[in-house]
Amino acid sequence: MAFSTQRLQFAGHSGAILAARLDLPNGALRAYALFAHCFTCSKDLAAVRRIAAELAREGIAVLRFDFTGLGSSEGEFASTNFSSNVADLLSAADYLRHYHQAPSLLIGHSLGGAAVLAVAKDIPEVRAVATIGAPADVGHVLKNFGTSLEEIEKLGAAEVDLAGRKFLVRKQFVEDARAQRIKDAVASLKKPLLILHSPLDQTVGIENATEIFFAAKHPKSFVSLDQADHLLTNLEDAAFAGRIISGWLTRYLAADPQQGTEPIEHVRVMETGEGKFQNSVQAGSHRLFADEPENVGGLDSGPSPYDFLSIALGACTSITLRQYADYKKLTLGRISIDVSHAKIHFKDCEECTELERSGSGRIDHFERIISVDGEVTEELRGKIAEIADKCPVHRTLEAVAKIRTVVKSVSEAVLR
């Protein structure tokens, strides 16, 4: 299932305007999720985007936002603390409840994981909670302050270097962190809990996952993010986490509607907002992605436009041959088609006429290799090639097609 991303904003606990992204499935929507990012991170962290994308593809809309004073949100970080983050989460849930639908799932990464564990009891619509690399004690974050912690306690405030960025931290932040009792919140959660954690996490050790797991009541689950680091900088680790969460969550949501619920009569291609070139494709009731390879700036999340042309030729050839084999009662076995595309010089085109080969420039060249399981005589080999050339897409590619273009604005005004 494809998805799109909307930019939006809402008022946080203090009235500061918080910047957010809402990743929405383009098809049937099953539920809303609320994502809390890690300490001093943002909604646009690559791992957060990837996890949200995986959930959106499964029909789960994800609201991710920057806490007060972080990322693109307003407010002063020095005036915030863990409790204010929890309050921002409640504001985000209220926004979803008012304008869309209250969140059914809470997801938190690192300190955001502790925040969703603390807030879950105050959002009655939440059906399940998932944490990624979460600490069992909010005070764990104070270890990142190093020697600045003593200065904060002595002077009331100090600048702290966190991942190469300077943040002013006041004593109230420290006192608030030490006052939290996350394991007590976990023990009284009364909601399904999924704990994801890497055994190699050097920022929040794996023992934190153990403490949370033993504090929680059933149903509870643990998944090891083998080889991942704390920030899931390898996007394959983030994608894996997203798939695990979406798969686990299906047990607590209504059944996923069939893909063909909302068919359209034509093909629709629309940018998703993810990556530079990724587009969602809907053909009738079917949904997939079009993209470009990573070496040209894409995400490689789907076939390229020329790949789709090759797909069309290969699929049409296979279908045409199957129809012919059934009509003639031929035993061809399974048919497979390998199609490759390249731009070649006219002079190198063996299939071109002598006049065409004398031209300059390049031509689109498709090579099609047809394989069948059964025995093929020379006579049948020639017949298969003849029938393949009658495939409608083959004929379209060899003919001169005409394309009419209409440009429409969002208000449906037509610009010709």
Side-chain angles (χ1 to χ4, degrees):
M1 177 179 293
F3 70 99
S4 58
T5 300
Q6 296 180 358
R7 294 185 179 186
L8 52 85
Q9 56 187 25
F10 60 91
H13 77 283
S14 66
I17 300 302
L18 306 186
R21 298 284 186 276
L22 181 61
D23 299 302
L24 282 167
N26 288 344
L29 197 157
R30 302 173 62 195
Y32 281 82
L34 183 56
F35 199 115
H37 62 70
C38 55
F39 181 55
T40 71
C41 296
S42 91
K43 65 184 183 310
D44 297 316
L45 187 73
V48 176
R49 296 200 313 269
R50 190 61 179 266
I51 292 170
E54 292 295 333
L55 267 68
R57 288 171 191 148
E58 295 300 321
I60 301 166
V62 181
L63 178 67
R64 46 191 171 96
F65 70 97
D66 293 329
F67 285 115
T68 299
L70 292 173
S72 301
S73 290
E74 296 179 351
E76 182 187 7
F77 176 80
S79 299
T80 67
N81 51 37
F82 182 81
S83 294
S84 71
N85 286 352
V86 170
D88 278 346
L89 280 169
L90 286 174
S91 297
D94 286 340
Y95 173 86
L96 283 177
R97 187 182 293 112
H98 182 75
Y99 291 101
H100 298 277
Q101 177 183 312
S104 299
L105 170 68
L106 298 180
I107 308 170
H109 179 204
S110 192
L111 193 63
V116 298
L117 290 170
V119 80
K121 67 181 185 303
D122 297 318
I123 307 176
E125 298 91 345
V126 169
R127 301 180 190 175
V129 179
T131 64
I132 305 167
D137 176 14
V138 176
H140 183 282
V141 74
L142 303 181
K143 296 179 181 179
N144 297 316
F145 294 178
T147 57
S148 296
L149 181 58
E150 295 179 8
E151 187 177 350
I152 293 170
E153 293 182 310
K154 181 179 179 180
L155 302 177
E159 273 198 343
V160 178
D161 189 318
L162 299 171
R165 292 181 296 163
K166 297 286 187 179
F167 292 90
L168 180 64
V169 177
R170 296 195 174 111
K171 190 174 182 179
Q172 59 86 19
F173 183 100
V174 175
E175 293 174 342
D176 181 79
R178 287 172 172 164
Q180 303 300 322
R181 297 291 179 267
I182 293 302
K183 283 185 280 189
D184 290 345
V186 172
S188 59
L189 186 61
K190 298 181 180 178
K191 299 179 190 292
L193 174 62
L194 172 64
I195 303 164
L196 298 99
H197 213 114
S198 169
L200 303 181
D201 194 327
Q202 299 297 308
T203 303
V204 180
I206 188 66
E207 67 276 3
N208 286 270
T210 302
E211 292 182 42
I212 293 173
F213 186 85
F214 282 115
K217 305 293 192 301
H218 284 290
K220 57 183 176 179
S221 304
F222 171 78
V223 174
S224 176
L225 299 177
D226 189 31
Q227 302 301 315
D229 59 19
H230 182 67
L231 292 179
L232 306 185
T233 51
N234 184 333
L235 292 186
E236 285 304 311
D237 293 326
F240 173 73
R243 291 192 294 269
I244 290 295
I245 293 170
S246 60
W248 168 80
L249 184 62
T250 56
R251 184 174 182 85
Y252 307 105
L253 298 179
D256 188 11
Q258 294 184 354
Q259 191 181 42
T261 301
E262 301 176 6
I264 59 176
E265 295 180 358
H266 52 279
V267 173
R268 177 180 296 144
V269 181
M270 182 172 63
E271 288 185 319
T272 66
E274 285 293 315
K276 188 175 181 180
F277 300 119
Q278 188 187 78
N279 279 262
S280 64
V281 180
Q282 183 175 0
S285 60
H286 308 290
R287 298 173 178 85
L288 57 159
F289 284 110
D291 205 340
E292 291 285 0
E294 291 181 354
N295 61 2
V296 295
L299 297 176
D300 200 23
S301 59
S304 71
Y306 275 107
D307 287 338
F308 274 107
L309 277 178
S310 298
I311 290 168
L313 177 60
C316 181
T317 301
S318 179
I319 292 168
T320 301
L321 289 175
R322 176 52 58 199
Q323 290 173 331
Y324 176 76
D326 289 348
Y327 177 72
K328 292 293 187 178
K329 295 182 171 51
L330 298 176
T331 304
L332 295 181
R334 179 175 295 178
I335 300 168
S336 67
I337 317 291
D338 291 309
V339 180
S340 59
H341 167 266
K343 297 273 191 180
I344 65 171
H345 291 284
F346 273 103
K347 63 182 178 62
D348 298 325
C349 176
E350 296 179 3
E351 295 79 15
C352 293
T353 65
E354 185 174 344
L355 178 62
E356 288 173 329
R357 285 197 295 272
S358 66
S360 61
R362 299 188 176 213
I363 186 174
D364 286 288
H365 184 266
F366 291 87
E367 183 175 40
R368 175 177 53 193
I369 300 175
I370 302 170
S371 302
V372 297
D373 288 345
E375 294 295 327
V376 181
T377 64
E378 286 302 314
E379 180 183 0
L380 182 56
R381 192 187 308 273
K383 194 63 180 178
I384 289 174
E386 176 189 339
I387 298 302
D389 288 349
K390 294 180 179 180
C391 149
V393 172
H394 178 115
R395 291 178 170 178
T396 298
L397 289 172
E398 286 198 331
V400 178
K402 301 296 184 184
I403 301 172
R404 176 176 178 265
T405 300
V406 175
V407 180
K408 298 194 299 183
S409 71
V410 293
S411 60
E412 300 301 318
V414 178
L415 307 175
R416 297 183 187 277

